[in-house]
Amino acid sequence: MDLPQTTTEPTSYVHDRETADDSLAFLRDGYAYGTRRFERFGTDAFRTRLLGRPTVVVHGREAAAMFYDPRSMTRAGAIPTSVAHLLQDDGSVQTLEDAAHDHRKAAFLRLLGDAEAARMAEASGRAWAAAAAREAGRTRSLYDLGVEVLTRAALEWTGLPAGSADPRRLAGPLAEMVDAAARVGPRNWIARLRRRRVERWAEAVLGMVRDGELEVPAGSPISVVAGLHDHDGSQPPLDIAAVELINLLRPIVAVARYVAFTGHALERHPHWRETLRGDAAARHRFVQEVRRFYPFFPVIAGTVRRGFTWREHEFEVGKRVVLDLYATNHDERIWTHPGRFDPDRFITWVYDPDALVPQGGGDAATGHRCPGEGATIALMERFLEFATADPAPYTVPPQDLRISLRRIPALPQDRMLVTLAE
Ligand code: HEM
């Protein structure tokens, strides 16, 4: 199979001299791992070994299009189990391909359409107001506060009756699934144990919904997940439905990281505050720039499932390919002055699915692109509305605002502390 190729870019080939295992270098360089090497080799792609396996690391708009072509890659076996078990797990939409994937994915896309994203954002607005009242006068990190607020919003949005889910017990384990994904050793094991508990809770709740023992609103996300059917007409077992419920809850809570980054951007660029207060379009641009600029998932890994040639390089079945999302979001062939935080770059931006890729590239319906982009944006915009209100809901105390690119996933050093207004 040949995927579309272009010859317009000078740096078009794969640096094809395999190096020694680069896993330690990846840990050392963090988000900058790929960028350093793309610059050193002057290519879009290079061959190396990661965790003992030959791997091609790629970046750029055309690499993203290649990687997100639904014919080329599967996620199966591409990432270590320590990461997989926290972020996706067996049987989830991310592990499916072709008709099975597209059918399950359609359910996610219906659940996360514009009206649903708006409903979720409204729930988060109420939760921010409640948190501001509850925490008045206290200093908290925007990250921790965001985790609590978004857990409440997520549970309300799903339609779970109060009493069937305790946000205080769920917030920590849901946040840990992302926080500990890149860790090895005890922190990762503990997060996996806590995830098992959330899975058991989700199975129990979904079982009660299926059996009619727990009444939930018709058409609500919880009833849709409980009633999921696959492309062959079968109903996924409860453990798979539980994984998919967590696939909704975990990433909503993960938006707390973007909340912290949005607060960080506001603090670093205070002249935006006034504009953002009354201008929804400006809030949208600001949020897009936060998603482009700040480090979240550094890379996505896939395994070649049908051999193809790209940039004169053979990608054989079974080979691992890593798409560098962070490098693509900072690729100067796509973004002018990529290291500058500039929301106005989105005034003239023409949507390109493979250029802005913090949540993946390609087409969400047929590939693995995130179905939650609209919801993420709506939640971030809602937070921005809260944060820029007059009078200001918080002040920012002295703290360490640095963000280390060596820590995956990244956060401001003090998790973005704020003091809530009295
Ligand atoms: C915090 C912000 C978010 C980030 C940075 C993010 C990032 C991503 C990325 C990079 C992928 C692609 C993975 C791949 O190519 O294998 C993805 C997939 C996915 N995301 Fe998100 N996401 C976010 C929010 C959300 C939200 C709010 C939801 C749902 C409520 C969601 C649900 C999913 C699901 C179900 C998939 C798997 C899709 C598939 O395999 O077809 N994400 N996300």
Side-chain angles (χ1 to χ4, degrees):
M1 174 173 68
D2 276 333
L3 292 174
Q5 305 205 21
T6 59
T7 51
T8 49
E9 290 170 7
T11 57
S12 58
Y13 297 99
V14 177
H15 179 81
D16 201 14
R17 214 177 46 234
E18 193 168 300
T19 58
D21 197 285
D22 242 3
S23 308
L24 283 178
F26 187 94
L27 285 180
R28 192 185 56 232
D29 292 348
Y31 290 89
Y33 167 79
T35 303
R36 292 208 171 127
R37 284 150 188 84
F38 299 128
E39 279 171 6
R40 188 186 311 154
F41 304 139
T43 58
D44 265 6
F46 59 90
R47 200 149 69 90
T48 184
R49 293 181 83 80
L50 286 173
L51 297 173
R53 265 178 66 188
T55 303
V56 180
V57 186
V58 300
H59 86 303
R61 172 196 278 135
E62 290 166 29
M66 171 272 279
F67 187 88
Y68 275 95
D69 183 315
R71 295 167 296 175
S72 58
M73 234 48 88
T74 167
R75 302 294 178 265
I79 56 175
T81 46
S82 57
V83 182
H85 282 158
L86 282 176
L87 289 184
Q88 30 178 279
D89 233 338
D90 302 335
S92 75
V93 63
Q94 229 183 342
T95 63
L96 304 177
E97 303 300 340
D98 302 325
H101 170 269
D102 297 357
H103 184 88
R104 181 87 62 83
K105 190 68 176 283
F108 272 94
L109 288 168
R110 278 194 302 275
L111 268 180
L112 293 163
D114 290 349
E116 284 297 303
R119 207 166 63 71
M120 197 190 291
E122 280 320 301
S124 77
R126 286 189 290 279
W128 278 114
R134 199 174 55 239
E135 303 287 341
R138 293 211 185 99
T139 297
R140 298 282 317 271
S141 90
L142 264 184
Y143 178 66
D144 295 336
L145 214 48
V147 165
E148 290 167 24
V149 161
L150 292 167
T151 304
R152 285 174 196 275
L155 293 173
E156 183 186 330
W157 170 77
T158 54
L160 276 162
S164 60
D166 181 351
R168 280 163 307 185
R169 289 176 65 115
L170 286 168
L174 287 169
E176 269 292 284
M177 289 176 204
V178 176
D179 287 345
R183 304 293 165 91
V184 283
R187 172 115 188 251
N188 184 278
W189 306 331
I190 292 167
R192 280 158 76 178
L193 279 176
R194 293 177 87 194
R195 179 180 162 117
R196 290 281 163 263
R197 268 185 242 145
V198 179
E199 284 172 359
R200 281 201 294 276
W201 160 80
E203 281 177 40
V205 167
L206 289 163
M208 287 195 290
V209 176
R210 278 191 185 174
D211 296 343
E213 290 165 31
L214 186 67
E215 229 176 282
V216 294
S220 59
I222 186 71
S223 84
V224 171
V225 174
L228 274 179
H229 276 80
D230 280 334
H231 69 303
D232 58 4
S234 65
Q235 189 167 43
L238 270 182
D239 58 333
I240 304 288
V243 164
E244 298 300 29
L245 177 59
I246 294 170
N247 259 342
L248 288 171
L249 300 176
R250 181 201 64 244
I252 295 173
V253 174
V255 174
R257 188 160 248 104
Y258 275 149
V259 162
F261 289 145
T262 304
H264 186 273
L266 266 181
E267 183 57 18
R268 284 273 200 238
H269 310 278
H271 61 281
W272 271 93
R273 198 165 263 284
E274 203 56 40
T275 312
L276 294 170
R277 187 170 298 145
D279 185 343
R283 285 198 289 275
H284 183 73
R285 294 201 295 278
F286 197 88
V287 157
Q288 290 290 57
E289 182 66 343
V290 169
R291 293 196 315 130
R292 182 198 72 81
F293 181 82
Y294 282 89
F296 203 128
F297 287 120
V299 298
I300 287 289
T303 307
V304 176
R305 65 184 186 120
R306 265 175 240 158
F308 61 90
T309 310
W310 184 77
R311 301 285 165 90
E312 298 180 13
H313 186 87
E314 294 293 321
F315 287 77
E316 298 109 11
V317 174
K319 182 169 260 179
R320 183 164 56 193
V321 183
V322 163
L323 171 69
D324 192 327
L325 302 176
Y326 184 75
T328 305
N329 287 332
H330 290 80
D331 184 341
E332 55 190 16
R333 293 167 302 176
I334 308 176
W335 311 101
T336 319
H337 302 303
R340 197 179 281 169
F341 182 83
D342 176 16
D344 282 343
R345 69 173 79 246
F346 285 98
I347 292 177
T348 51
W349 190 61
V350 180
Y351 179 78
D352 177 339
D354 302 312
L356 179 66
V357 294
Q359 296 179 237
D363 176 22
T366 54
H368 290 289
R369 186 191 193 98
C370 181
E373 274 188 296
T376 303
I377 291 169
L379 290 169
M380 292 169 73
E381 288 175 352
R382 192 64 195 77
F383 167 71
L384 210 42
E385 227 180 307
F386 163 78
T388 57
D390 188 18
Y394 62 73
T395 53
V396 177
Q399 63 188 291
D400 191 344
L401 287 171
R402 284 173 307 165
I403 297 171
S404 167
L405 290 181
R406 295 176 61 178
R407 181 185 149 181
I408 298 174
L411 260 187
Q413 214 64 24
D414 287 336
R415 300 156 87 92
M416 199 57 225
L417 296 172
V418 295
T419 304
L420 282 304
E422 299 263 18

